[in-house]
């Protein structure tokens, strides 16, 4: 058997399907057929359901894993009053191909027996209980919704759910095996179980038909007949004609449906039941994040509901990641990806494995993907695996949902900034579709509140997403995902003394990503081609700049396990870009002038074919059962701006399990990133610039205090070499050299994440990082500009603390986030000097980066109220940023001669009211 | 006093970054204390015959003296002594390269220092004298470059011989507890042809005025200052100075070579200052912003008279200074007067 921690991935979704009373008895009233209330006599109440204290930690059957098989194992679990497992049996056989179902069953039962449980309570007294519990086994790349990252997970701890479970419970003796009465049983009732608010059919709900005791037999106990709902939520009620029955249908995640009635005659029309049950606030279905694959030292993953309930993010999943350790705070809440003090261009952003140029709309706008499509976000603050490249800082990979859907669902979101809609559902032939769109309307609202004649600079954005997917078999899936976005900004003003300003700028991208995933004979393959079109545009007066690119991507990754302790991953990561750039921009003259000079509108056109070809491989080797070593290597060939560059990036990660739930990890590696196209341009750059090299070293410890609470700490050190810096010296050919690779960088720090995973009605985390990111200039050739000491980078933030929590109480959800962050580095201004030729005052600057802006602190609150109707749900939320209106200066402005300074405040209190509907 | 004057809805301002809260700083066009508004160098450019120098092994042309005249204004100094120290030093290309984030491409313009002289500068003058009755300090000095100085300047600035060698002149002006540091450049360029003429300082000769844009312009006579009622405005225009055509060495980045570029018309900019009131815009130019779709180039600005009344017996006259600059360190200044009542 393969140890859990050594697997590529296991997704185990544990769910209590039905909490079954140990012994049931009824107090029936003689009524006509049809729904009736529960008995008039007070009934014992399940005041606290059983809860998981430790586990599950299942072992994926290696043969099944190698074959890419999946399974759901549903078990009947008996706990005694002390919470000890007294009996486990499989009630829902493992649905697996290949004759390995028994292995799944054994693995699941072993996992449940090894779990530590908290006893259930009936009427606030610990009591034996029987319930159903499902473990789902999923190999990597075929994981449906809910598969997260990380090695541990949690199961909800009960709580409020018990308030809604009011089925009768008798004494606390162990439940007897069910023994349905034999004679004269007819299907005299039928019905369907659906979820209130979504009308989703509820499958595998436990249907108990409790038959009245025989009045002729004193002391006779009621008996049960049990069945489960089918895939459409349908069930049948069997019994004898004229018999009084109580039907209790429960999923464990919803309020139970309880009906009492008298069965009709055998030849009469069966009783029809429709149960719409409300999902409990508590989330019994708990995400158990996938065990780490081990190819990186630090990965932070977010999954529902962390993606949409973080205060201060307006429910935007991709903004939630800005609260993780390793991500620096961006000024004004801008959607900049600042990883460990590095510039945004040093990090890579991927969607389904393909790089995209942007993740957020303009300014404080939302991300370009609708939250409904996002399954998981992985953030690697550094030391990422060999499947990623062309970046020297961090990586964000957004995984979108690919699981087929069985029914149509839709959503609509409206808030102060924009409105969006989303629809998904089956379209026949095994295909599923999903589509969404969003558009901002601030450009319409803003003129209503701005003074007349004011310059209008209204951001306009829209985005769309569409997906078609098909699950060919449990081990084979295909999908095509298309998405795009456009941002534009229009500025209009007219001044008769100077002229009219008509400024427009836009950014647009489109992507189509195909994915074919298949598992066979121990191999898994993921082939993903993509095509994209990017464009940027700017115009103002006689100036305009347009750029566009056709982007082709091709990724292929195969994995193969050899035995229990050795796996290989190999892949290709190719990108071909055809860029076209056309600028009509005013450039300073390439001659020495000593006063403001007429800038020539220069026509610059470029057609570039940029090719990046990469191959990578890594080995996941369990040297001993508790030690995993992951050596990997990546080869990159860059053909950028007509220059060719090659890099080889060896990387190594080790992971040692010190004790149950405690891991020590370490890693080191090389990372290469090409200079920007402009820096390699023959006219405005230096084509001979080498690749930027980063050397990264990581060491960390993880510890799980419980299935829900874990801590992850990492120390790191990073060096950067060959950063392009302004030269302005005579080049070897006698001309003017634009850049020289004289920049050096380094970063070091400690990051810690104490996290309470979403369990039941609570989640939250505390993220803290202390770090230093610096750069310096070297005078490598002796004749260049002088060397400088290390100085903090523009986005260096020494301390960064984020604490957030969200709790659900009934239909209400409350959240809070508090941030405390060091101010950004600042260069002191000591005064001003007057350039009499330019008529400009230049600041007299002190030591660059030697002082910092004021410490940033901000509290955000979020309140959401849910309304659940029969067929749809509605939520209203209020997300308030900067509740106590902290000033948080983000910049300074000075008078013309730098004698006076005034701070420019950050975002003031910003309440956003939004509404969201789902069906 | 730095105060915020935010009347706009802060929420919208912050959320979309559309409007800025502008602190109420002093206006640069109002001269309220010790200021240096411009420096005239005569001549502003000196041509060197490099071919002859190469043949002779030294510069054969005599290096002419350069007369430096700063426009120093001390309107409220009450004739207090003003100390003026003038120094010269070579261009230091590293100072410009090291500025900023060090991320921009090194252009030719980035090799010109934008700082005053540091230690080791050559002293030209050190004087102390009071401001005259009109508030200006009547100071003038002469800088005579020497051959060793030029050789040192060429060594410090490797691109200077090819592209033009700027020499920095620093002015340190002190009065009371006020200090102003300023600098300008004198350009030493290679003679590109026998008929190559050095740069000439632009000169403003006349002013015009009108109340509204629709009105015809009238000459503004400094001897008979026009009256501008308090709180009102007056549109003031300048007669265009001569914008020269010239040739200069430039770098062709595509072909990676230096060449002689012919500039058909230099850019002239006119800056306005007043001892009371403000000008908007503060400068006008014959080079309109390329970002505007229908720019105006009528060299006209608007003087906005202060609204507050003067104390009894105060002089109602307002001194107006106009400094015109070209793009090769040429400059001159002109003065006129208004009467605000």
């Amino acid at each position: 058997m393969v140890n859990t921690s050594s697997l590529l991935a296991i997704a185990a979704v544990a769910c209590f399907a039905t909490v079954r009373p140990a012994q049931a008895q009824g107090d029936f009233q003689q009524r006509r057929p049809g729904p009736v209330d529960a008995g008039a006599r007070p009934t014992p109440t399940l005041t606290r359901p059983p809860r998981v204290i430790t586990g599950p930690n299942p072992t994926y059957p290696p043969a099944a894993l190698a074959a890419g098989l999946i399974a759901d194992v549903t078990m009947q679990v008996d706990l005694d009053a002390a919470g000890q497992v007294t009996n486990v049996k499989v009630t829902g056989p493992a649905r697996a191909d290949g004759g390995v179902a028994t292995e799944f069953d054994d693995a699941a039962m072993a996992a449940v027996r090894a779990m530590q449980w908290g006893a259930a309570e009936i009427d606030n007294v610990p009591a034996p209980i029987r319930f159903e519990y499902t473990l789902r086994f999923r190999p990597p790349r075929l994981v449906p919704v809910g598969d997260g990252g990380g090695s541990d997970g949690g199961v909800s701890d009960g709580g409020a759910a018990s308030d809604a479970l009011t089925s009768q419970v008798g004494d606390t003796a162990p439940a007897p095996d069910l023994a349905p009465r034999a004679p004269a049983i007819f299907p005299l009732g039928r019905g369907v179980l659906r979820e209130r608010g979504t009308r989703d059919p509820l499958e595998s709900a436990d249907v108990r038909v409790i038959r009245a005791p025989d009045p002729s037999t004193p002391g006779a106990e009621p008996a049960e007949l049990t069945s489960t709902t089918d895939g459409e939520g349908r069930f049948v009620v069997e019994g004898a004609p004229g018999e009084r029955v109580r039907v209790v249908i429960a999923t464990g995640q919803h309020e139970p449906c309880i009906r009492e009635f008298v069965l009709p005659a055998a030849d009469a029309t069966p009783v029809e039941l429709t149960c719409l049950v409300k999902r409990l606030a508590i989330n019994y279905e708990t995400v158990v994040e996938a065990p780490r694959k081990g190819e990186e030292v630090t990965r932070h993953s977010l999954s529902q509901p962390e993606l949409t309930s973080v205060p201060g993010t307006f429910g935007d999943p991709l903004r939630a990641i800005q609260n993780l350790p390793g991500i620096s705070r961006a000024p004004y809440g801008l959607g900049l990806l600042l990883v460990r003090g590095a510039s945004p261009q040093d990090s890579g952003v991927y969607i389904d494995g393909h790089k995209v140029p942007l993740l957020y709309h303009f300014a404080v706008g939302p991300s370009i993907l609708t939250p409904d499509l996002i399954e998981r976000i992985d953030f690697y603050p550094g030391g990422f695996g060999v499947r990623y490249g062309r970046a020297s800082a961090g990586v964000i990979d957004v995984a979108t949902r690919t699981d087929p859907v069985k029914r149509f669902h839709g959503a609509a979101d409206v808030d102060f900034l924009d409105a969006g809609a989303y629809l998904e559902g089956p379209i026949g032939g095994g295909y599923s579709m999903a589509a969404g769109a969003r558009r901002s309307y601030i450009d319409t609202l803003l003129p209503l509140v701005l003074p007349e004649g004011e310059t209008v600079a209204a951001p306009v954005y829209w985005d769309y997403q569409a997906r078609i997917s098909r699950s060919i078999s449990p081990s084979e899936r295909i999908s095509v995902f298309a998405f795009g976005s456009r941002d534009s900004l229009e500025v209009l003003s007219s001044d008769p003394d100077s002229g009219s300003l008509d400024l427009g700028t836009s950014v647009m991208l489109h992507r189509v990503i195909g994915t074919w995933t298949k598992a066979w004979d121990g191999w898994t393959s993921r082939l993903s081609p993509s095509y994209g079109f990017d464009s940027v545009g700017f115009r103002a007066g006689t100036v305009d700049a347009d750029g566009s690119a056709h982007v082709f991507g091709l990724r292929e990754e195969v994995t193969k396990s050899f035995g229990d302790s050795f796996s290989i991953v190999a892949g290709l990561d190719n990108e071909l870009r055809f860029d076209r750039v056309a600028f009509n921009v005013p450039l300073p003259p390439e001659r020495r002038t000593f006063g403001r000079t007429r800038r020539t509108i220069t026509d610059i056109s470029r057609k570039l074919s940029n090719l990046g070809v990469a191959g990578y491989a890594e080995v996941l080797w369990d040297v001993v059962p508790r030690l995993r070593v992951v050596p990997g290597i990546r080869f990159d060939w860059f053909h950028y701006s007509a220059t060719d560059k090659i890099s080889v990036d060896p990387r190594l990660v080790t992971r040692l399990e010190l004790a149950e739930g405690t891991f020590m990890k370490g890693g080191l590696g090389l990372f290469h990133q090409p200079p920007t196209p402009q820096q390699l341009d023959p006219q405005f750059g230096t084509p001979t610039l080498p690749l930027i090299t980063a050397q990264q070293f990581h060491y960390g410890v993880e510890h799980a205090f419980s299935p829900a609470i874990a801590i992850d700490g990492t120390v790191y050190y990073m060096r950067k070499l060959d950063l392009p810096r302004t030269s302005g010296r005579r080049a070897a050919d006698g001309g003017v050299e634009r850049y020289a690779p004289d920049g050096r960088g380094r970063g070091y720090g400690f990051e810690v994440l104490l996290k309470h995973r979403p369990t039941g009605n609570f989640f939250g985390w505390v993220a803290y990082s202390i770090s230093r990111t610096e750069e310096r200039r070297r005078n490598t050739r002796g004749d260049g500009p002088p060397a400088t000491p290390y100085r903090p980078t523009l986005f260096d933030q020494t301390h960064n603390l984020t604490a957030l929590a969200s709790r659900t109480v009934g239909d209400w959800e409350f959240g809070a986030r508090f941030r405390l962050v060091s101010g950004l580095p600042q260069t002191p201004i000591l005064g001003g000097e007057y350039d009499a030729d330019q008529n400009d005052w230049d600041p007299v600057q002190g030591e660059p980066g030697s002082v910092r802006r004021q410490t940033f602190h901000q509290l955000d609150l979020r309140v959401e109220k849910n309304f659940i109707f029969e067929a749809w749900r509605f939520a209203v939320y209020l997300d308030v940023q900067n509740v106590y209106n902290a000033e948080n200066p983000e910049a300074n402005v000075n008078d013309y001669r730098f004698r006076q300074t005034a701070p420019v405040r950050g975002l003031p209190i910003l309440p956003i009211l939004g509404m969201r509907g789902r069906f | 006093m730095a105060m915020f004057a935010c009347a706009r809805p802060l929420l919208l301002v912050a959320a979309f970054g559309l409007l800025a809260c502008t602190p109420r700083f002093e206006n640069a066009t109002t001269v309220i204390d010790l200021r240096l508004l411009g420096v005239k160098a005569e001549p502003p450019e000196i041509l060197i015959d490099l071919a002859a120098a190469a043949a002779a092994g030294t510069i054969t042309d005599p290096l002419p003296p350069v007369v430096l005249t700063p426009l120093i204004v001390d309107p409220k100094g009450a004739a207090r002594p003003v100390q003026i120290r003038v120094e010269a030093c070579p261009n230091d290309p590293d100072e410009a390269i090291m500025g900023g984030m060090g991320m921009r491409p090194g252009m030719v313009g980035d090799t010109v220092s934008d700082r005053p002289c540091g230690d080791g500068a050559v002293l030209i003058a050190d004087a102390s004298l009071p401001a005259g009755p009109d508030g200006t300090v009547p100071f003038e000095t002469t800088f005579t470059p020497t051959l060793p100085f030029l050789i040192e300047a060429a060594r410090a600035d490797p691109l200077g011989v090819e592209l033009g060698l700027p020499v920095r002149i620093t002015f340190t002006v002190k009065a009371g507890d006020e200090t102003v540091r300023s600098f300008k450049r004198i350009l030493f360029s290679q003679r590109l042809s026998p008929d190559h003429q050095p740069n000439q300082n632009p000169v403003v000769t006349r002013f015009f005025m009108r109340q509204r844009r629709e009105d015809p312009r009238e000459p503004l006579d400094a001897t008979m200052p026009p009256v501008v009622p308090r709180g009102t405005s007056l549109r003031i225009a300048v007669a265009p100075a001569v914008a020269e055509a010239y040739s200069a060495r430039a770098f062709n980045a595509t072909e990676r070579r230096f060449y002689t570029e012919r500039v058909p018309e230099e850019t002239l900019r006119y800056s306005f200052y007043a001892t009371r009131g403000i000008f908007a815009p503060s400068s006008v130019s014959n080079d309109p912003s390329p970002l505007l779709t229908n720019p105006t180039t009528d060299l006209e600005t608007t003087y906005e008279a202060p609204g507050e009344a003067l104390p009894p017996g105060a002089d109602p006259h307002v001194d107006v200074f106009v400094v015109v600059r070209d793009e090769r360190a040429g400059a001159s200044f002109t003065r006129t007067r208004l009467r605000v009542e």
Side-chain angles (χ1 to χ4, degrees), chain A residues 11 26 54 170 388 525 543 548 572 623 657 688 846 884-885:
Chain A
T54 302
Y388 302 107
S525 167
V543 175
S548 63
L572 298 172
V623 181
E657 186 174 12
T688 57
Y884 55 84
N885 199 27

Side-chain angles (χ1 to χ4, degrees), chain A residues 600-853:
Chain A
T600 307
I601 301 296
T602 307
D603 184 0
I604 304 170
S605 296
R606 296 283 188 277
K607 284 187 177 180
L608 299 172
S609 300
N610 294 332
L611 176 63
V613 176
Y616 59 87
E618 67 182 3
V619 172
L620 290 81
W621 180 27
D622 294 335
V623 181
V624 294
R626 289 178 177 270
L627 174 63
R628 161 161 293 189
V629 177
V630 186
I633 193 164
R634 178 183 173 99
F635 298 90
D636 272 284
W637 172 49
F638 301 89
H639 181 76
Y640 280 16
S641 299
T643 65
D644 291 285
K645 304 180 192 307
I646 294 175
S647 67
V648 180
D649 292 352
R651 298 171 195 174
L652 174 67
V653 172
T654 61
R655 187 175 174 84
L656 175 65
E657 186 174 12
L658 300 173
E660 183 72 24
T662 303
F663 296 87
M664 185 176 70
K665 54 193 183 178
L668 53 90
L670 280 181
F671 303 80
H672 282 92
Q673 174 184 338
T676 64
Q678 183 261 317
Q679 290 169 334
L680 293 173
D681 186 83
Q683 186 176 356
F684 300 100
T686 303
T688 57
L689 280 176
L691 296 171
I692 298 168
T693 301
Q695 305 162 346
Q696 296 192 12
F697 307 88
H698 295 78
Y699 172 79
V701 174
E702 291 176 16
H703 177 70
F705 298 105
S706 73
I709 301 175
I711 192 168
D712 184 343
T714 303
V715 294
Y716 69 90
Y717 178 77
M718 176 181 62
R719 290 182 66 206
K720 282 188 177 180
L721 311 174
D722 298 332
L723 299 173
R725 287 294 177 268
T726 310
S727 174
R729 289 301 176 107
R730 281 241 187 204
D733 63 359
V736 180
E737 183 181 68
R738 307 297 195 192
Y739 293 98
D742 289 345
R744 297 289 183 273
R746 69 181 181 189
Y748 46 90
F750 170 67
E751 296 164 352
V752 62
L753 177 65
L754 176 62
K755 187 175 181 181
H756 190 297
R757 300 185 188 283
T759 56
N761 50 13
F762 180 83
F763 76 87
W765 68 77
V766 177
Y768 172 72
S769 63
I770 179 170
S771 64
R772 182 84 169 173
T773 310
E774 303 169 315
E775 290 181 356
R776 61 175 292 218
R777 175 192 282 273
R778 297 206 316 167
N779 186 357
T780 50
R781 297 171 305 180
D783 63 344
T788 66
Y790 274 112
R791 292 164 176 161
T793 59
L794 186 64
F795 299 109
D796 176 62
Q797 294 168 8
T798 306
H799 302 280
N800 192 331
L801 172 69
T802 300
L804 64 88
S806 183
R807 181 171 177 81
T808 302
V809 179
D811 292 332
W812 291 85
E813 185 173 346
F814 302 93
R817 176 180 70 165
F818 179 73
R819 289 181 291 164
L820 185 67
V821 188
S822 299
L824 292 171
Q826 195 176 1
T827 300
I829 294 178
L830 309 177
E833 295 166 336
Y834 183 62
D835 186 336
D837 295 327
Q838 302 274 0
N839 189 28
D840 275 342
W841 285 82
D842 299 320
V844 179
Q845 297 184 328
E847 175 66 16
S850 59
V851 297
R852 289 183 179 271
R853 298 196 193 285

Side-chain angles (χ1 to χ4, degrees), chain B residues 254-268:
Chain B
T254 306
E255 301 176 7
R256 307 289 301 170
R257 65 177 180 83
F258 294 97
Y259 71 105
T260 298
E261 181 179 2
R262 181 66 179 170
V263 180
E265 181 186 51
E266 63 184 352
T267 300
L268 300 179

Side-chain angles (χ1 to χ4, degrees), chain A residues 380-467:
Chain A
Y380 308 87
F384 42 83
V386 292
R387 64 168 47 85
Y388 302 107
R390 301 167 194 140
S392 59
V395 160
I396 285 180
D397 195 354
V398 181
T400 62
R401 293 172 51 195
T402 59
D403 56 313
V405 292
K406 295 179 179 178
R407 299 180 61 82
F408 274 94
H409 289 289
D413 293 79
V414 176
D415 66 22
F416 182 68
L417 297 174
D418 57 43
Y422 174 77
L423 181 68
E424 66 177 17
I427 53 175
Y431 289 92
S432 299
M433 60 74 63
R438 168 171 45 194
R439 191 198 188 281
S440 71
Y441 36 67
I442 191 64
D443 57 313
T444 305
L445 298 179
L446 204 58
L448 303 179
V449 296
L450 285 177
E452 192 171 350
E454 194 73 60
T455 295
V456 176
V460 180
Y461 57 82
W462 51 255
D463 57 58
Y464 70 89
Q465 304 85 33
R467 176 190 293 285

Side-chain angles (χ1 to χ4, degrees), chain A residues 457 497 592 726 729 836 903 908, chain B residues 4 14 18 94 104 157 213 235:
Chain A
D497 283 340
R592 282 183 165 178
T726 310
R729 289 301 176 107
Chain B
F4 281 104
L18 308 178
D94 289 340
R104 65 181 186 273
D157 183 4
R213 174 176 286 277
R235 302 179 74 91

Side-chain angles (χ1 to χ4, degrees), chain A residues 23 41 46 126 174 285 347 601 693 805 834:
Chain A
Q23 187 176 13
R41 196 175 66 189
L46 180 66
E285 184 174 75
S347 297
I601 301 296
T693 301
Y834 183 62

